[in-house]
């Protein structure tokens, strides 16, 4: 990757975190403000970033269009969406679809539930590997070398008192997930947010995707209104069948 392209990528990643002034971007890039301005102008012209009335640069709407195009070209998302919508309608819960893309597990679709509280997850955002139900079921099914590589590069940040932050403990947790055939997130990333997830095999039989149901409960020990596992498995089986690989 050329230095110019690498710096452009840095700008996009930086602005994904927060809007920045040209002076702030220049400091990050280690260049003069005038050089930073020349560097970002092609991104502005292409609609990839935009300058707001406050003088700060932020990601542009063209990125939304490009991101949507990428998502629309994913066969899994197209096949799964009607089943996700039906699952959300039947349960009133938020439904997530996640997929292993290269060495990241990302949310590729999300159907908001009836809860007034909105969760942190966003389409296109990387999944927290050690907390999310969808990431746990995918990790548990990966070949050991691939799983080990992902975990070796991961930082086990503590988000709540229930977050698993020890690698050895998390490996044991994944073994339990593999035995059970499903995973849960019991307020491990966001307080009050509870998820149950199951994996979806693709046409090759690989477990590179998963769906989950997310509910918001006032207390960790408060049961969900309905056990979502059977509904999740039905939806996962329907998606897998549509992909040509029904669950066993």
């Amino acid at each position: 990757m050329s230095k110019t392209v690498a710096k452009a990528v840095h700008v996009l990643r930086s602005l994904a975190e927060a809007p920045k002034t040209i002076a702030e971007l220049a400091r990050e890039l280690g260049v003069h403000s005038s050089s930073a301005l020349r560097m970002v102008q092609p991104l502005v012209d292409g609609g990839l970033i935009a300058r707001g009335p406050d003088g700060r640069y932020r990601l542009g709407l063209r990125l939304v269009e490009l991101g949507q195009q990428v998502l629309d070209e994913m066969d899994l998302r197209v096949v799964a969406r009607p089943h996700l919508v039906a699952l959300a309608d039947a349960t009133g819960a938020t439904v997530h679809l996640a997929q292993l893309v290269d060495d990241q597990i990302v949310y590729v679709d999300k159907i908001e539930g009836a809860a007034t509280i909105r969760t942190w997850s966003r389409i296109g955002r990387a999944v927290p590997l050690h907390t999310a139900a969808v990431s746990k079921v995918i990790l548990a099914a990966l070949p050991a070398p691939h799983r080990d590589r992902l975990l070796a590069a991961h930082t086990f940040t503590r988000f709540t008192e229930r977050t698993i932050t020890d690698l050895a403990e998390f490996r044991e947790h994944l073994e339990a997930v593999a035995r059970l055939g499903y995973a849960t997130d019991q307020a491990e990333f966001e307080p009050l947010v509870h998820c149950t997830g199951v994996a979806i095999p693709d046409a090759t039989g690989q477990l590179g995707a998963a769906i989950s149901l997310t509910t918001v409960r006032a207390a960790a020990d408060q049961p969900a209104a309905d056990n979502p596992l059977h509904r999740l498995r039905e939806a996962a089986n329907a998606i897998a069948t549509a992909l040509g690989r029904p669950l066993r």
Side-chain angles (χ1 to χ4, degrees):
M1 184 184 298
S2 72
K3 291 183 179 180
T4 301
V5 173
K7 287 181 177 180
V9 171
H10 179 90
V11 168
L12 293 175
R13 288 177 173 171
S14 178
L15 296 183
E17 297 175 357
K20 305 279 175 59
T21 64
I22 197 67
E24 290 170 330
L25 289 172
R27 283 196 295 272
E28 289 185 9
L29 295 169
V31 299
H32 192 272
S33 292
S34 60
S35 298
L37 186 59
R38 287 195 299 271
M39 191 177 302
V40 303
Q41 192 57 50
L43 299 177
V44 174
D45 295 341
L48 300 179
I49 65 175
R51 186 173 183 269
D54 60 356
R56 295 180 181 274
Y57 289 84
R58 50 185 46 81
L59 297 182
L61 292 177
R62 176 61 175 157
L63 283 176
V64 177
E65 180 183 347
L66 293 173
Q68 186 64 47
Q69 183 176 339
V70 171
L71 290 170
D72 287 344
E73 290 175 356
M74 289 184 174
D75 290 341
L76 171 65
R77 185 172 184 263
V78 174
V79 169
R81 178 154 259 269
H83 302 288
L84 305 181
V85 172
L87 184 59
D89 289 344
T91 61
T94 295
V95 178
H96 292 98
L97 173 66
Q99 187 173 11
L100 179 65
V101 181
D102 296 327
D103 274 349
Q104 277 195 320
I105 298 173
V106 297
Y107 293 111
V108 295
D109 210 350
K110 177 181 181 180
I111 311 297
E112 292 282 4
T116 56
I117 299 177
R118 290 294 176 258
T119 57
W120 168 91
S121 57
R122 296 290 183 275
I123 296 175
R125 179 174 282 178
V127 178
L129 288 187
H130 63 300
T131 62
V134 284
S135 60
K136 291 176 184 179
V137 289
I138 292 174
L139 286 171
L142 284 179
H146 194 173
R147 179 174 60 248
D148 291 343
R149 185 171 72 252
L150 295 183
L151 294 180
H154 184 63
T155 301
F156 286 77
T157 303
R158 180 176 296 281
F159 297 105
T160 74
E161 62 181 11
R162 291 174 169 263
T163 305
I164 299 174
T165 57
D166 180 75
L167 176 57
E169 181 182 354
F170 188 65
R171 288 185 184 279
E172 292 181 2
H173 184 70
L174 291 181
E175 290 177 2
V177 169
R179 289 194 302 271
L180 294 170
Y182 69 92
T184 61
D185 166 6
Q186 299 296 336
E188 296 164 40
F189 183 75
E190 295 180 275
L192 312 182
V193 177
H194 301 257
C195 305
T196 303
V198 298
I200 306 168
D202 63 17
T204 67
Q206 299 298 310
L207 294 171
I211 57 174
S212 68
L213 278 176
T214 300
T215 58
V216 178
R217 304 205 294 273
D221 57 355
Q222 177 187 349
D226 178 33
N227 184 348
L229 189 55
H230 73 284
R231 293 182 183 273
L232 268 171
R233 283 178 167 156
E234 287 175 356
N237 189 55
I239 295 169
T241 300
L243 291 170
R245 186 78 186 194
L247 299 176
R248 295 183 181 181

